[in-house]
Amino acid sequence: MDGPAHGVLTGMVTMGRTMVPAGEGRAVRVGAGRRVRVVDVEGGQVGDLFAFAADDPREHLSAAHTRSATSRLFPQVGESFVTDRRRPILTLAGDTSPGSHDMLIAACDPARYEGLGAPGHASCAGNLESALAGMGLSAAVVPQPVNVFMRIPVEASGRLRWLSAESRPGDAITFEAVMDCVVVLSACPQDLAGINGDGPTPMAMDVL
Amino acid sequence: MDGPAHGVLTGMVTMGRTMVPAGEGRAVRVGAGRRVRVVDVEGGQVGDLFAFAADDPREHLSAAHTRSATSRLFPQVGESFVTDRRRPILTLAGDTSPGSHDMLIAACDPARYEGLGAPGHASCAGNLESALAGMGLSAAVVPQPVNVFMRIPVEASGRLRWLSAESRPGDAITFEAVMDCVVVLSACPQDLAGINGDGPTPMAMDVL
């Protein structure tokens, strides 16, 4: 990718648009009360989103604690994602997509691609590490991500299906920060399974 | 609880029955190829089960990676639970219960009970820490547990319901170790929500 503007890190917050090139990851700092809009620029692209408390990145958005708090597989608009310390970190503020998102599937990682016969392949876990390193941070663990636009329907039997993302060009999901946080988005580099349709494409994060 | 025999730690493995008093946690060492049978002694009791690689307890059974590997909310008999490094650690070998188990809900922890107005209440996260400490170990994080006998049906809308465990006295779920591991079971101390029916009761782990 060339050309796109990058969000500007002003003191402790990021403002404006941060482009996330296809298959790569980026991090932004979002102050409490601000919103971050995650845009699927070309459509059909899954993003693995992570959020960490700005003052202690050992505290992170936790899918399991969020399910426990909301009694849902995925929050509804107006509901919050919470951390592993059960503190609200992001509220789901809006969603223009058809509404398929996932919090069941782990981030792709080097072991996943080794299993697919592609050692050394880019991964969302690797992108998370790189994006945090760019802010001088590191995560103790790779949390279960919020997989925006990822379509994993759950059948009554408990079976999960892996379908291509159905988000359209420009579709966006917007989160409001409840605490000062660092949000990382990986435009999933998966090109060996069909979740990203015809292949990985870029995404964007707008801090509003 | 008084009286029950405890599993005998012989060298690096545990053999025989380890009683888990109501509301407490215990750990056993299970060698590769051996089985551990988790028994709901009186029925209607949820157990939070965790498993760690014996040679490096930073590697742990991961619900998210297990869902990714099995494409199911919970493995079927014959399928394996994998670690956060995507290595099989336990295989589901048998289940005499009605079959309700959960891998969606986080372990109860001090923050959960503070939210319920009961600070200082015993928790599965605290039981995990204590049981590992008894073996000279500590976990870097509290993994999403395997909640045996926990009944959290998923509705088509994505809504989760919290129902009382329907396991009967003596019902058991059995796991076969794929690698040398430490298995921790917390007989969930939750008595402020209905998941444990009339209240917490003891469980047992038999290493076979």
Tab-separated table of all heavy atoms in Angstrom, chain A residues 93-156:
chain	number	residue	atom	x	y	z
A	93	ALA	N	-20.838	1.082	19.361
A	93	ALA	CA	-21.600	2.318	19.142
A	93	ALA	C	-22.379	2.311	17.836
A	93	ALA	O	-23.378	3.030	17.710
A	93	ALA	CB	-20.651	3.518	19.164
A	94	GLY	N	-21.956	1.529	16.867
A	94	GLY	CA	-22.674	1.505	15.600
A	94	GLY	C	-22.114	0.452	14.665
A	94	GLY	O	-20.978	-0.004	14.845
A	95	ASP	N	-22.932	0.069	13.675
A	95	ASP	CA	-22.524	-1.008	12.765
A	95	ASP	C	-23.332	-0.870	11.477
A	95	ASP	O	-24.550	-1.026	11.500
A	95	ASP	CB	-22.792	-2.361	13.430
A	95	ASP	CG	-22.341	-3.539	12.587
A	95	ASP	OD1	-21.649	-3.326	11.572
A	95	ASP	OD2	-22.668	-4.686	12.960
A	96	THR	N	-22.676	-0.562	10.383
A	96	THR	CA	-23.390	-0.434	9.099
A	96	THR	C	-23.327	-1.725	8.290
A	96	THR	O	-23.888	-1.788	7.199
A	96	THR	CB	-22.786	0.701	8.244
A	96	THR	OG1	-21.505	0.288	7.742
A	96	THR	CG2	-22.624	1.991	9.038
A	97	SER	N	-22.620	-2.722	8.805
A	97	SER	CA	-22.449	-3.980	8.059
A	97	SER	C	-23.672	-4.867	8.233
A	97	SER	O	-24.541	-4.569	9.058
A	97	SER	CB	-21.218	-4.721	8.564
A	97	SER	OG	-21.520	-5.454	9.747
A	98	PRO	N	-23.738	-5.990	7.516
A	98	PRO	CA	-24.847	-6.927	7.733
A	98	PRO	C	-24.865	-7.510	9.141
A	98	PRO	O	-25.852	-8.154	9.512
A	98	PRO	CB	-24.600	-8.014	6.675
A	98	PRO	CG	-23.813	-7.326	5.603
A	98	PRO	CD	-22.923	-6.357	6.336
A	99	GLY	N	-23.791	-7.311	9.912
A	99	GLY	CA	-23.863	-7.655	11.336
A	99	GLY	C	-23.163	-8.927	11.753
A	99	GLY	O	-23.265	-9.324	12.915
A	100	SER	N	-22.438	-9.579	10.843
A	100	SER	CA	-21.712	-10.780	11.241
A	100	SER	C	-20.349	-10.402	11.812
A	100	SER	O	-19.528	-9.793	11.116
A	100	SER	CB	-21.511	-11.706	10.037
A	100	SER	OG	-22.746	-12.190	9.579
A	101	HIS	N	-20.139	-10.778	13.071
A	101	HIS	CA	-18.851	-10.597	13.721
A	101	HIS	C	-18.650	-11.809	14.629
A	101	HIS	O	-19.603	-12.473	14.999
A	101	HIS	CB	-18.824	-9.313	14.556
A	101	HIS	CG	-19.283	-8.098	13.815
A	101	HIS	ND1	-18.516	-7.489	12.846
A	101	HIS	CD2	-20.437	-7.388	13.876
A	101	HIS	CE1	-19.178	-6.451	12.360
A	101	HIS	NE2	-20.349	-6.369	12.961
A	102	ASP	N	-17.410	-12.064	15.004
A	102	ASP	CA	-17.098	-13.293	15.731
A	102	ASP	C	-16.242	-13.010	16.960
A	102	ASP	O	-15.352	-12.159	16.921
A	102	ASP	CB	-16.337	-14.258	14.805
A	102	ASP	CG	-15.757	-15.428	15.567
A	102	ASP	OD1	-16.543	-16.319	15.932
A	102	ASP	OD2	-14.538	-15.446	15.843
A	103	MET	N	-16.529	-13.734	18.044
A	103	MET	CA	-15.621	-13.729	19.201
A	103	MET	C	-15.335	-15.154	19.664
A	103	MET	O	-15.082	-15.394	20.850
A	103	MET	CB	-16.211	-12.941	20.368
A	103	MET	CG	-16.126	-11.440	20.192
A	103	MET	SD	-16.203	-10.512	21.753
A	103	MET	CE	-17.641	-11.251	22.548
A	104	LEU	N	-15.376	-16.114	18.731
A	104	LEU	CA	-15.142	-17.514	19.096
A	104	LEU	C	-13.798	-18.041	18.614
A	104	LEU	O	-13.252	-18.974	19.211
A	104	LEU	CB	-16.249	-18.397	18.490
A	104	LEU	CG	-17.667	-18.147	19.016
A	104	LEU	CD1	-18.673	-18.935	18.191
A	104	LEU	CD2	-17.764	-18.505	20.492
A	105	ILE	N	-13.290	-17.477	17.521
A	105	ILE	CA	-12.129	-18.064	16.839
A	105	ILE	C	-10.844	-17.341	17.238
A	105	ILE	O	-10.805	-16.118	17.311
A	105	ILE	CB	-12.347	-17.995	15.310
A	105	ILE	CG1	-13.619	-18.792	14.921
A	105	ILE	CG2	-11.131	-18.517	14.558
A	105	ILE	CD1	-13.567	-20.268	15.255
A	106	ALA	N	-9.791	-18.116	17.471
A	106	ALA	CA	-8.492	-17.554	17.863
A	106	ALA	C	-7.863	-16.798	16.697
A	106	ALA	O	-8.139	-17.081	15.517
A	106	ALA	CB	-7.565	-18.684	18.309
A	107	ALA	N	-6.994	-15.852	17.010
A	107	ALA	CA	-6.212	-15.163	15.988
A	107	ALA	C	-5.340	-16.171	15.248
A	107	ALA	O	-4.788	-17.093	15.852
A	107	ALA	CB	-5.325	-14.104	16.633
A	108	CYS	N	-5.206	-15.988	13.930
A	108	CYS	CA	-4.249	-16.841	13.214
A	108	CYS	C	-2.846	-16.491	13.706
A	108	CYS	O	-2.576	-15.362	14.126
A	108	CYS	CB	-4.396	-16.707	11.700
A	108	CYS	SG	-4.102	-15.059	11.017
A	109	ASP	N	-1.992	-17.490	13.717
A	109	ASP	CA	-0.670	-17.355	14.331
A	109	ASP	C	0.303	-18.271	13.591
A	109	ASP	O	-0.101	-19.043	12.716
A	109	ASP	CB	-0.757	-17.692	15.827
A	109	ASP	CG	-1.415	-19.038	16.119
A	109	ASP	OD1	-1.389	-19.924	15.234
A	109	ASP	OD2	-1.949	-19.213	17.215
A	110	PRO	N	1.585	-18.177	13.909
A	110	PRO	CA	2.550	-19.023	13.180
A	110	PRO	C	2.180	-20.505	13.203
A	110	PRO	O	2.326	-21.198	12.176
A	110	PRO	CB	3.863	-18.738	13.920
A	110	PRO	CG	3.717	-17.308	14.385
A	110	PRO	CD	2.261	-17.191	14.784
A	111	ALA	N	1.678	-21.011	14.354
A	111	ALA	CA	1.338	-22.444	14.418
A	111	ALA	C	0.202	-22.790	13.457
A	111	ALA	O	0.173	-23.879	12.886
A	111	ALA	CB	0.959	-22.828	15.851
A	112	ARG	N	-0.727	-21.851	13.276
A	112	ARG	CA	-1.837	-22.088	12.355
A	112	ARG	C	-1.319	-22.268	10.930
A	112	ARG	O	-1.754	-23.166	10.205
A	112	ARG	CB	-2.807	-20.899	12.423
A	112	ARG	CG	-3.875	-20.834	11.331
A	112	ARG	CD	-4.928	-21.898	11.460
A	112	ARG	NE	-6.096	-21.584	10.634
A	112	ARG	CZ	-6.814	-22.501	9.988
A	112	ARG	NH1	-6.496	-23.783	10.082
A	112	ARG	NH2	-7.865	-22.156	9.290
A	113	TYR	N	-0.397	-21.411	10.537
A	113	TYR	CA	0.112	-21.490	9.158
A	113	TYR	C	1.074	-22.664	8.985
A	113	TYR	O	1.156	-23.232	7.889
A	113	TYR	CB	0.711	-20.144	8.738
A	113	TYR	CG	-0.375	-19.099	8.569
A	113	TYR	CD1	-0.569	-18.091	9.498
A	113	TYR	CD2	-1.265	-19.164	7.482
A	113	TYR	CE1	-1.591	-17.161	9.361
A	113	TYR	CE2	-2.287	-18.242	7.346
A	113	TYR	CZ	-2.454	-17.240	8.285
A	113	TYR	OH	-3.476	-16.333	8.149
A	114	GLU	N	1.783	-23.033	10.050
A	114	GLU	CA	2.589	-24.258	9.955
A	114	GLU	C	1.674	-25.448	9.681
A	114	GLU	O	1.982	-26.297	8.851
A	114	GLU	CB	3.392	-24.475	11.241
A	114	GLU	CG	4.610	-23.566	11.335
A	114	GLU	CD	5.219	-23.546	12.739
A	114	GLU	OE1	5.033	-24.526	13.492
A	114	GLU	OE2	5.864	-22.527	13.074
A	115	GLY	N	0.520	-25.464	10.365
A	115	GLY	CA	-0.440	-26.538	10.154
A	115	GLY	C	-1.025	-26.535	8.756
A	115	GLY	O	-1.464	-27.569	8.244
A	116	LEU	N	-1.042	-25.370	8.133
A	116	LEU	CA	-1.565	-25.254	6.759
A	116	LEU	C	-0.442	-25.410	5.718
A	116	LEU	O	-0.669	-25.217	4.526
A	116	LEU	CB	-2.242	-23.891	6.569
A	116	LEU	CG	-3.594	-23.694	7.280
A	116	LEU	CD1	-4.024	-22.227	7.242
A	116	LEU	CD2	-4.678	-24.580	6.648
A	117	GLY	N	0.764	-25.750	6.187
A	117	GLY	CA	1.871	-25.965	5.257
A	117	GLY	C	2.502	-24.679	4.745
A	117	GLY	O	3.138	-24.677	3.686
A	118	ALA	N	2.327	-23.581	5.506
A	118	ALA	CA	2.871	-22.291	5.082
A	118	ALA	C	3.638	-21.626	6.221
A	118	ALA	O	3.260	-20.554	6.692
A	118	ALA	CB	1.742	-21.387	4.586
A	119	PRO	N	4.741	-22.251	6.652
A	119	PRO	CA	5.504	-21.634	7.741
A	119	PRO	C	6.019	-20.260	7.330
A	119	PRO	O	6.343	-20.031	6.167
A	119	PRO	CB	6.658	-22.627	7.954
A	119	PRO	CG	6.757	-23.402	6.688
A	119	PRO	CD	5.361	-23.477	6.138
A	120	GLY	N	6.046	-19.344	8.302
A	120	GLY	CA	6.549	-18.006	8.022
A	120	GLY	C	5.516	-17.052	7.466
A	120	GLY	O	5.810	-15.873	7.252
A	121	HIS	N	4.286	-17.546	7.249
A	121	HIS	CA	3.202	-16.706	6.723
A	121	HIS	C	2.890	-15.594	7.722
A	121	HIS	O	2.957	-15.801	8.924
A	121	HIS	CB	1.976	-17.594	6.503
A	121	HIS	CG	0.892	-16.986	5.670
A	121	HIS	ND1	0.075	-15.977	6.128
A	121	HIS	CD2	0.477	-17.256	4.414
A	121	HIS	CE1	-0.787	-15.653	5.186
A	121	HIS	NE2	-0.566	-16.412	4.120
A	122	ALA	N	2.535	-14.416	7.233
A	122	ALA	CA	2.069	-13.338	8.116
A	122	ALA	C	0.836	-13.819	8.880
A	122	ALA	O	0.043	-14.616	8.367
A	122	ALA	CB	1.732	-12.094	7.306
A	123	SER	N	0.654	-13.296	10.106
A	123	SER	CA	-0.468	-13.730	10.942
A	123	SER	C	-0.990	-12.563	11.764
A	123	SER	O	-0.280	-11.575	11.995
A	123	SER	CB	-0.024	-14.851	11.887
A	123	SER	OG	0.862	-14.355	12.874
A	124	CYS	N	-2.228	-12.679	12.218
A	124	CYS	CA	-2.796	-11.630	13.080
A	124	CYS	C	-2.052	-11.557	14.411
A	124	CYS	O	-1.878	-10.467	14.959
A	124	CYS	CB	-4.287	-11.895	13.304
A	124	CYS	SG	-5.296	-11.557	11.835
A	125	ALA	N	-1.604	-12.710	14.937
A	125	ALA	CA	-0.836	-12.677	16.188
A	125	ALA	C	0.486	-11.940	15.975
A	125	ALA	O	0.900	-11.132	16.811
A	125	ALA	CB	-0.595	-14.103	16.692
A	126	GLY	N	1.133	-12.203	14.863
A	126	GLY	CA	2.372	-11.493	14.552
A	126	GLY	C	2.130	-10.012	14.321
A	126	GLY	O	2.924	-9.160	14.752
A	127	ASN	N	1.024	-9.700	13.633
A	127	ASN	CA	0.682	-8.287	13.393
A	127	ASN	C	0.413	-7.543	14.702
A	127	ASN	O	0.757	-6.363	14.833
A	127	ASN	CB	-0.546	-8.191	12.489
A	127	ASN	CG	-0.244	-8.589	11.051
A	127	ASN	OD1	0.922	-8.651	10.641
A	127	ASN	ND2	-1.289	-8.869	10.284
A	128	LEU	N	-0.228	-8.237	15.638
A	128	LEU	CA	-0.474	-7.625	16.956
A	128	LEU	C	0.846	-7.268	17.625
A	128	LEU	O	1.039	-6.149	18.116
A	128	LEU	CB	-1.270	-8.601	17.832
A	128	LEU	CG	-1.378	-8.226	19.310
A	128	LEU	CD1	-2.158	-6.934	19.496
A	128	LEU	CD2	-2.018	-9.361	20.110
A	129	GLU	N	1.760	-8.220	17.618
A	129	GLU	CA	3.056	-8.000	18.263
A	129	GLU	C	3.782	-6.808	17.614
A	129	GLU	O	4.308	-5.934	18.309
A	129	GLU	CB	3.890	-9.277	18.144
A	129	GLU	CG	5.199	-9.225	18.895
A	129	GLU	CD	5.976	-10.536	18.759
A	129	GLU	OE1	5.471	-11.480	18.123
A	129	GLU	OE2	7.105	-10.595	19.282
A	130	SER	N	3.781	-6.775	16.283
A	130	SER	CA	4.481	-5.695	15.570
A	130	SER	C	3.839	-4.340	15.848
A	130	SER	O	4.538	-3.334	16.050
A	130	SER	CB	4.472	-5.963	14.065
A	130	SER	OG	5.076	-7.187	13.776
A	131	ALA	N	2.507	-4.308	15.816
A	131	ALA	CA	1.819	-3.029	16.001
A	131	ALA	C	2.042	-2.483	17.404
A	131	ALA	O	2.258	-1.285	17.593
A	131	ALA	CB	0.323	-3.189	15.716
A	132	LEU	N	1.999	-3.374	18.394
A	132	LEU	CA	2.260	-2.923	19.770
A	132	LEU	C	3.712	-2.474	19.919
A	132	LEU	O	4.003	-1.462	20.565
A	132	LEU	CB	1.944	-4.039	20.769
A	132	LEU	CG	0.467	-4.307	21.043
A	132	LEU	CD1	0.320	-5.466	22.027
A	132	LEU	CD2	-0.242	-3.068	21.590
A	133	ALA	N	4.631	-3.222	19.302
A	133	ALA	CA	6.053	-2.858	19.397
A	133	ALA	C	6.279	-1.453	18.844
A	133	ALA	O	7.110	-0.695	19.352
A	133	ALA	CB	6.910	-3.881	18.654
A	134	GLY	N	5.513	-1.096	17.814
A	134	GLY	CA	5.630	0.239	17.238
A	134	GLY	C	5.244	1.341	18.207
A	134	GLY	O	5.557	2.513	17.992
A	135	MET	N	4.527	0.964	19.272
A	135	MET	CA	4.172	1.930	20.321
A	135	MET	C	4.996	1.710	21.577
A	135	MET	O	4.685	2.264	22.638
A	135	MET	CB	2.689	1.814	20.663
A	135	MET	CG	1.792	2.339	19.571
A	135	MET	SD	0.173	2.773	20.224
A	135	MET	CE	-0.468	3.760	18.863
A	136	GLY	N	6.010	0.864	21.456
A	136	GLY	CA	6.849	0.595	22.618
A	136	GLY	C	6.181	-0.302	23.632
A	136	GLY	O	6.550	-0.318	24.806
A	137	LEU	N	5.176	-1.081	23.187
A	137	LEU	CA	4.422	-1.942	24.099
A	137	LEU	C	4.594	-3.408	23.709
A	137	LEU	O	5.006	-3.729	22.589
A	137	LEU	CB	2.925	-1.594	24.034
A	137	LEU	CG	2.535	-0.156	24.380
A	137	LEU	CD1	1.061	0.070	24.096
A	137	LEU	CD2	2.867	0.143	25.840
A	138	SER	N	4.259	-4.284	24.637
A	138	SER	CA	4.167	-5.697	24.302
A	138	SER	C	3.024	-6.290	25.106
A	138	SER	O	2.675	-5.780	26.175
A	138	SER	CB	5.472	-6.434	24.598
A	138	SER	OG	5.714	-6.448	25.983
A	139	ALA	N	2.416	-7.349	24.569
A	139	ALA	CA	1.309	-8.012	25.257
A	139	ALA	C	1.836	-9.273	25.919
A	139	ALA	O	2.648	-9.988	25.323
A	139	ALA	CB	0.197	-8.355	24.272
A	140	ALA	N	1.368	-9.531	27.122
A	140	ALA	CA	1.803	-10.743	27.824
A	140	ALA	C	1.278	-11.979	27.098
A	140	ALA	O	1.940	-13.015	27.060
A	140	ALA	CB	1.290	-10.718	29.263
A	141	VAL	N	0.099	-11.851	26.518
A	141	VAL	CA	-0.525	-12.974	25.810
A	141	VAL	C	-1.201	-12.414	24.558
A	141	VAL	O	-1.363	-11.204	24.421
A	141	VAL	CB	-1.596	-13.669	26.679
A	141	VAL	CG1	-0.975	-14.317	27.903
A	141	VAL	CG2	-2.679	-12.685	27.111
A	142	VAL	N	-1.584	-13.294	23.647
A	142	VAL	CA	-2.417	-12.908	22.506
A	142	VAL	C	-3.857	-13.177	22.926
A	142	VAL	O	-4.270	-14.330	22.995
A	142	VAL	CB	-2.074	-13.706	21.242
A	142	VAL	CG1	-3.013	-13.331	20.101
A	142	VAL	CG2	-0.626	-13.469	20.847
A	143	PRO	N	-4.616	-12.129	23.237
A	143	PRO	CA	-5.995	-12.391	23.669
A	143	PRO	C	-6.842	-12.947	22.511
A	143	PRO	O	-6.510	-12.763	21.347
A	143	PRO	CB	-6.513	-11.003	24.074
A	143	PRO	CG	-5.288	-10.151	24.250
A	143	PRO	CD	-4.285	-10.695	23.273
A	144	GLN	N	-7.932	-13.618	22.879
A	144	GLN	CA	-8.966	-13.940	21.883
A	144	GLN	C	-9.425	-12.628	21.257
A	144	GLN	O	-9.860	-11.724	21.965
A	144	GLN	CB	-10.125	-14.628	22.593
A	144	GLN	CG	-11.475	-14.481	21.929
A	144	GLN	CD	-11.750	-15.557	20.929
A	144	GLN	OE1	-11.797	-16.721	21.287
A	144	GLN	NE2	-11.943	-15.192	19.679
A	145	PRO	N	-9.325	-12.475	19.938
A	145	PRO	CA	-9.696	-11.196	19.312
A	145	PRO	C	-11.203	-11.022	19.127
A	145	PRO	O	-11.974	-11.986	19.207
A	145	PRO	CB	-9.010	-11.275	17.949
A	145	PRO	CG	-8.888	-12.728	17.651
A	145	PRO	CD	-8.807	-13.455	18.978
A	146	VAL	N	-11.573	-9.778	18.858
A	146	VAL	CA	-12.891	-9.462	18.308
A	146	VAL	C	-12.707	-9.480	16.790
A	146	VAL	O	-12.023	-8.623	16.229
A	146	VAL	CB	-13.369	-8.071	18.768
A	146	VAL	CG1	-14.712	-7.724	18.110
A	146	VAL	CG2	-13.474	-8.020	20.286
A	147	ASN	N	-13.281	-10.489	16.141
A	147	ASN	CA	-13.079	-10.665	14.710
A	147	ASN	C	-14.202	-9.954	13.948
A	147	ASN	O	-15.259	-10.534	13.674
A	147	ASN	CB	-13.042	-12.155	14.367
A	147	ASN	CG	-11.865	-12.864	15.018
A	147	ASN	OD1	-10.726	-12.416	14.913
A	147	ASN	ND2	-12.137	-13.963	15.701
A	148	VAL	N	-13.937	-8.659	13.628
A	148	VAL	CA	-14.993	-7.891	12.974
A	148	VAL	C	-15.188	-8.396	11.550
A	148	VAL	O	-14.236	-8.763	10.866
A	148	VAL	CB	-14.691	-6.371	13.003
A	148	VAL	CG1	-14.631	-5.874	14.446
A	148	VAL	CG2	-13.425	-6.022	12.259
A	149	PHE	N	-16.438	-8.424	11.147
A	149	PHE	CA	-16.890	-8.863	9.814
A	149	PHE	C	-16.669	-10.366	9.572
A	149	PHE	O	-16.922	-10.843	8.478
A	149	PHE	CB	-16.231	-8.039	8.694
A	149	PHE	CG	-16.331	-6.548	8.896
A	149	PHE	CD1	-15.201	-5.741	8.856
A	149	PHE	CD2	-17.565	-5.958	9.147
A	149	PHE	CE1	-15.294	-4.364	9.053
A	149	PHE	CE2	-17.681	-4.577	9.342
A	149	PHE	CZ	-16.530	-3.776	9.292
A	150	MET	N	-16.200	-11.103	10.579
A	150	MET	CA	-15.961	-12.535	10.386
A	150	MET	C	-17.276	-13.281	10.590
A	150	MET	O	-17.989	-13.042	11.560
A	150	MET	CB	-14.899	-13.047	11.351
A	150	MET	CG	-14.452	-14.477	11.065
A	150	MET	SD	-12.991	-14.916	12.053
A	150	MET	CE	-12.589	-16.527	11.353
A	151	ARG	N	-17.549	-14.202	9.663
A	151	ARG	CA	-18.865	-14.849	9.629
A	151	ARG	C	-18.723	-16.308	10.020
A	151	ARG	O	-18.345	-17.147	9.206
A	151	ARG	CB	-19.463	-14.710	8.228
A	151	ARG	CG	-20.923	-15.059	8.157
A	151	ARG	CD	-21.645	-14.299	7.056
A	151	ARG	NE	-21.114	-14.600	5.739
A	151	ARG	CZ	-21.787	-15.230	4.767
A	151	ARG	NH1	-23.025	-15.625	4.989
A	151	ARG	NH2	-21.246	-15.433	3.593
A	152	ILE	N	-19.011	-16.586	11.300
A	152	ILE	CA	-18.894	-17.937	11.867
A	152	ILE	C	-20.240	-18.294	12.484
A	152	ILE	O	-20.417	-18.219	13.709
A	152	ILE	CB	-17.778	-17.989	12.939
A	152	ILE	CG1	-16.439	-17.509	12.379
A	152	ILE	CG2	-17.646	-19.403	13.508
A	152	ILE	CD1	-15.751	-18.484	11.440
A	153	PRO	N	-21.226	-18.664	11.681
A	153	PRO	CA	-22.518	-19.008	12.288
A	153	PRO	C	-22.411	-20.271	13.143
A	153	PRO	O	-21.633	-21.175	12.853
A	153	PRO	CB	-23.434	-19.227	11.074
A	153	PRO	CG	-22.532	-19.441	9.910
A	153	PRO	CD	-21.240	-18.740	10.219
A	154	VAL	N	-23.203	-20.289	14.215
A	154	VAL	CA	-23.240	-21.418	15.145
A	154	VAL	C	-24.524	-22.190	14.887
A	154	VAL	O	-25.623	-21.639	15.028
A	154	VAL	CB	-23.214	-20.927	16.605
A	154	VAL	CG1	-23.241	-22.107	17.572
A	154	VAL	CG2	-21.986	-20.049	16.854
A	155	GLU	N	-24.386	-23.450	14.528
A	155	GLU	CA	-25.577	-24.271	14.303
A	155	GLU	C	-26.120	-24.777	15.638
A	155	GLU	O	-25.411	-24.765	16.651
A	155	GLU	CB	-25.233	-25.434	13.378
A	155	GLU	CG	-24.765	-24.962	11.997
A	155	GLU	CD	-24.490	-26.109	11.046
A	155	GLU	OE1	-24.365	-27.257	11.508
A	155	GLU	OE2	-24.402	-25.829	9.828
A	156	ALA	N	-27.374	-25.229	15.625
A	156	ALA	CA	-28.004	-25.700	16.866
A	156	ALA	C	-27.214	-26.842	17.492
A	156	ALA	O	-27.205	-27.009	18.717
A	156	ALA	CB	-29.446	-26.131	16.584
